[in-house]
Amino acid sequence: MAKTHAGPTETDPILHRWSTLVADVLLDHRVHMFGYVPDEVSGHLLRRLEAEPACTVVCCTREEEAVATVAGAYLGGKRGAVVLQTSGIGNSMNALGSFVVPYQIPMLLIVSERGGLGEFNPAQVPLGHAVPRVLDALGIQTFPLTPEAEIAPVLAGAAELAFATMMPVAVVLTTRLTGGKTLR
Amino acid sequence: MNRLDAIRRIVPLLGDAAVVSNLGRNTYDLYEASDRPENFYMWGAMGSTSSVGLGIAMAQPARRVVVLDGDGSMLMSLGCLATVAAYRPANLILVVLDNETYETTGGQATHSGRCADLEAVARGAGLAHTATVTTVDDFAAALGRALRDPGPWFILAKVEQATSFARVPRRPIFIKDRFMAALGTTAG
């Protein structure tokens, strides 16, 4: 897992490949509203989306705010996704559990993984490890985006599941896919 | 000013504006003042109401969006004021109906009655168009201007606690479906 510790860089062809695949599927499914809290792993994906005229990309101060903003945009007619780290799921619980789920507001949660393979920070482990079970407790399904060949079918399936059945659905940008975060 | 009186006074000004009301008494009073299909009643997610309004406003730039938030909810998520200021949706009007208490949970004091000036916080977050109003007439005037002139706006309306216990239907999916039909956004 040397790649995990090296982390992605702007010129990394692997980074360009997965983030391009993810962006293409999102655009194919008319996912045009994005709320996020900045993260090294998702930075390139977000810059790609910002370059799309159809997309609105909102940098939020807290992930719960991103969930609420993307939910509001759905009410206003725009499909959306929240781009966040696993720790951000912890910050989003009440907006998901007492708003998005009971109102059946669909969205994608694009979660960059912390706390698993290659993790260097003990503070990231407990919640990172718990995220799929925490989401499952709210009835939210989670799908890992690994390996690269499965990004398109898994993400497309997650988008269909979310917007056809009116539920939030999570996909995980695993460290095996992204290389994870740089140790600084 | 009495909150229910204040909301009743602004209803005729709203036109087809979308209105998002914070859980608890703001939702009760908006429902009692006027149950419009363009009303979106929150039943949970304290602290998220203004952000829901931001999302609607960004997706529907041609429609005015009025948020009736509460002081307790606003204090829970002050960061969203900076986000609103950063993206400046001209059609968004944030109203905080500030009764200086957590009324729905039993009337415990909020910090807005002790020390926190929420209009000053909004200005500090970068919002340029702000007002504090203490009478129904001034509230109606401020909201009327905000519905006319480009924002985003932040209106702090000092209100008294008390009033209605309206029987608002606790039917989140119905509220959502009716709201989206009114906005013409159901196709998803």
Side-chain angles (χ1 to χ4, degrees):
Chain A
M1 295 302 294
K3 184 68 192 60
T4 299
H5 296 281
T9 64
E10 274 305 289
T11 54
D12 189 333
I14 293 171
L15 169 61
H16 283 273
R17 216 163 49 222
W18 75 254
S19 55
T20 299
L21 280 166
V22 169
D24 287 350
V25 175
L26 293 171
L27 295 169
D28 279 351
H29 285 79
R30 294 182 291 114
V31 178
H32 289 155
M33 179 77 183
F34 298 90
Y36 74 99
V37 171
D39 171 31
E40 174 183 336
V41 167
S42 59
H44 187 262
L45 169 65
L46 289 162
R47 279 189 293 282
R48 275 195 69 86
L49 295 166
E50 275 171 343
E52 291 291 330
C55 291
T56 303
V57 183
V58 181
C59 177
C60 295
T61 64
R62 178 179 165 86
E63 293 83 353
E64 184 173 41
E65 197 192 312
V67 168
T69 304
V70 166
Y74 181 79
L75 299 174
K78 274 198 163 187
R79 293 177 169 199
V82 178
V83 182
L84 70 176
Q85 278 194 13
T86 40
S87 51
I89 292 292
N91 278 348
S92 303
M93 292 313 297
N94 197 43
L96 291 169
S98 78
F99 176 43
V100 167
V101 172
Y103 283 76
Q104 293 188 359
I105 297 175
M107 65 177 61
L108 289 170
L109 304 170
I110 301 174
V111 189
S112 74
E113 180 187 26
R114 295 296 305 272
L117 294 173
E119 182 58 60
F120 52 80
N121 182 353
Q124 289 286 352
V125 175
L127 186 54
H129 178 58
V131 153
R133 284 173 294 149
V134 165
L135 290 173
D136 185 62
L138 289 179
I140 300 171
Q141 298 191 63
T142 302
F143 302 94
L145 290 184
T146 331
E148 193 175 274
E150 289 180 13
I151 288 178
V154 170
L155 185 57
E160 283 158 17
L161 175 66
F163 295 106
T165 70
M166 305 284 169
M167 279 292 287
V169 174
V171 294
V172 178
L173 302 170
T174 64
T175 55
R176 275 183 297 164
L177 177 72
T178 66
K181 186 183 188 301
T182 312
L183 174 58
R184 296 182 202 271
Chain B
M1 81 184 102
N2 176 285
R3 183 179 50 225
L4 180 58
D5 291 345
I7 297 175
R8 282 189 168 131
R9 178 66 176 276
I10 62 164
V11 162
L13 309 176
L14 291 171
D16 69 353
V19 182
V20 184
S21 59
N22 191 47
L23 76 165
R25 298 298 164 85
N26 288 2
T27 275
Y28 299 170
D29 282 358
L30 175 63
Y31 179 87
E32 180 142 326
S34 176
D35 179 33
R36 313 152 61 242
E38 298 90 351
N39 292 353
F40 188 84
Y41 305 113
M42 297 288 286
W43 277 112
M46 181 174 174
S48 291
T49 308
S50 286
S51 297
V52 173
L54 171 63
I56 299 169
M58 293 186 86
Q60 289 275 307
R63 185 185 293 266
R64 295 280 162 170
V65 178
V66 179
V67 174
L68 301 179
D69 213 335
D71 46 312
S73 174
M74 192 79 256
L75 285 163
M76 192 177 268
S77 298
L78 294 173
C80 83
L81 293 170
T83 307
V84 170
Y87 292 92
R88 297 193 304 276
N91 56 330
L92 179 61
I93 301 161
L94 299 181
V95 176
V96 175
L97 296 166
D98 179 9
N99 60 6
E100 303 181 357
T101 63
Y102 296 101
E103 188 176 338
T104 308
T105 60
Q108 302 89 343
T110 62
H111 298 331
S112 68
R114 293 174 178 140
C115 52
D117 176 346
L118 289 170
E119 186 194 0
V121 173
R123 292 195 77 84
L127 289 167
H129 306 296
T130 69
T132 295
V133 293
T134 57
T135 68
V136 171
D137 285 344
D138 287 349
F139 180 44
L143 194 84
R145 185 177 172 202
L147 287 163
R148 235 181 9 252
D149 298 344
W153 288 86
F154 179 92
I155 300 171
L156 182 67
K158 288 288 191 177
V159 297
E160 295 140 18
Q161 67 165 313
T163 64
S164 65
F165 292 86
R167 301 288 233 172
V168 189
R170 289 192 181 85
R171 294 165 58 198
I173 297 163
F174 165 74
I175 291 164
K176 176 194 71 171
D177 286 346
R178 187 179 72 158
F179 179 82
M180 292 180 71
L183 265 62
T185 56
T186 304

